[in-house]
Amino acid sequence: MTSGNIFLAGVGGQGTLLASELLSEAFLHSGYDVKKSDVHGMAQRGGAVTTHIRFGARVYSPLIEAGTADLLIAFEKMEALRFVHFLAPGGVVVANTQEIQPPSVLRGIEPYPADVEARLRAAAGRVYLVDALSAALALKEVRAVNVALVGAASHFLPLPAEAYEDALRLRLPPKILDVNLAAFRAGRELPASQGGTA
C-alpha cells in the first residue's frame, strides 16, 4: 500500500484525536505526505468525533469521500456502524467492542441496537471487533484504550510497529510513555485472536 485513507470515529473523551495525531506522525516520519482533518463539534459532551487521514507520495486534500476509506477505526461499536459507508469495497473495519450509550438511549427514547455486529459484518467485508478497553484496563490505564486500538489497527497499514512506537515517543511525555507503549503492544495482539491480521 503506497497510499491510503483512514477514517477514525469515536465519542468525545475517548482519545480519538490523539490517536489520529499518532497515526499521522508515524506516516510523516516514514516519508509519506499526510493530510488530516478532525470534526469534533460537541466532543466534550459525548458527541461524535471523526478524523480523516490520507497518506501517500503526495496528498492534495484531507477529506475522504464516502466509499473510499481503506481502514475504518472505530472507538465505539455503534460509531463503526454510523460511519461504515465511508469504507471502500474490500476495506477493513477495526472496532472497539465498547458500547457508550448516546443521550437518546440514556433518556429511554430508543434502545442501543442489539444487532450492531451483524449489521456491521453485512456492510463490510473484513471486520475485527477487538476489546481495546479490557487491554487498557489490564494495564490499569483506561486512557490508553485509544493507543491499544491503534495497535490493533496497525496490522492493516503499511508501516512497521517501530514507526508507531517512535511516534509515541515523539508525542507523549515520559511519565505516560511506558504504559502507552505497553498498550500499543497489547493492541497488536488483539486481531490475531480473531483469526487474522493483514
Side-chain angles (χ1 to χ4, degrees):
M1 182 188 294
T2 56
S3 64
N5 298 330
I6 310 167
F7 191 97
L8 287 81
V11 174
Q14 288 193 289
T16 308
L17 298 181
L18 177 60
S20 72
E21 290 171 11
L22 292 171
L23 287 166
S24 297
E25 193 90 47
F27 278 96
L28 277 172
H29 283 273
S30 298
Y32 288 86
D33 187 24
V34 178
K35 296 285 187 297
K36 177 173 89 79
S37 177
D38 303 315
V39 179
H40 47 98
M42 297 294 284
Q44 292 183 342
R45 297 186 180 184
V49 178
T50 60
T51 296
H52 299 225
I53 300 174
R54 302 186 67 220
F55 64 90
R58 184 75 176 143
V59 179
Y60 295 98
S61 169
L63 298 180
I64 299 170
E65 292 183 39
T68 65
D70 302 291
L71 175 62
L72 168 61
I73 304 174
F75 294 74
E76 196 276 339
K77 197 164 62 175
M78 194 161 59
E79 294 302 307
L81 188 58
R82 186 192 313 261
F83 293 103
V84 73
H85 65 283
F86 272 90
L87 201 65
V92 176
V93 176
V94 176
N96 190 9
T97 56
Q98 185 177 4
E99 296 180 0
I100 297 176
Q101 310 286 306
S104 60
V105 173
L106 291 172
R107 293 198 314 250
I109 297 172
E110 55 192 340
Y112 190 99
D115 60 347
V116 171
E117 182 174 346
R119 291 167 61 186
L120 202 53
R121 292 192 187 283
R126 297 170 64 196
V127 177
Y128 295 88
L129 293 170
V130 298
D131 190 352
L133 179 60
S134 290
L137 290 173
L139 296 167
K140 300 183 174 25
E141 182 50 85
V142 69
R143 291 174 293 184
V145 66
N146 57 345
V147 176
L149 199 56
V150 168
S154 66
H155 286 287
F156 308 101
L157 293 168
L159 301 181
E162 293 76 18
Y164 306 99
E165 295 189 4
D166 288 345
L168 286 166
R169 292 184 183 94
L170 285 168
R171 297 292 300 188
L172 300 181
K175 67 181 181 182
I176 61 170
L177 178 59
D178 286 346
V179 72
N180 279 283
L181 286 170
F184 175 80
R185 292 165 187 158
R188 294 264 305 165
E189 303 295 322
L190 296 175
S193 68
Q194 296 183 35
T197 55

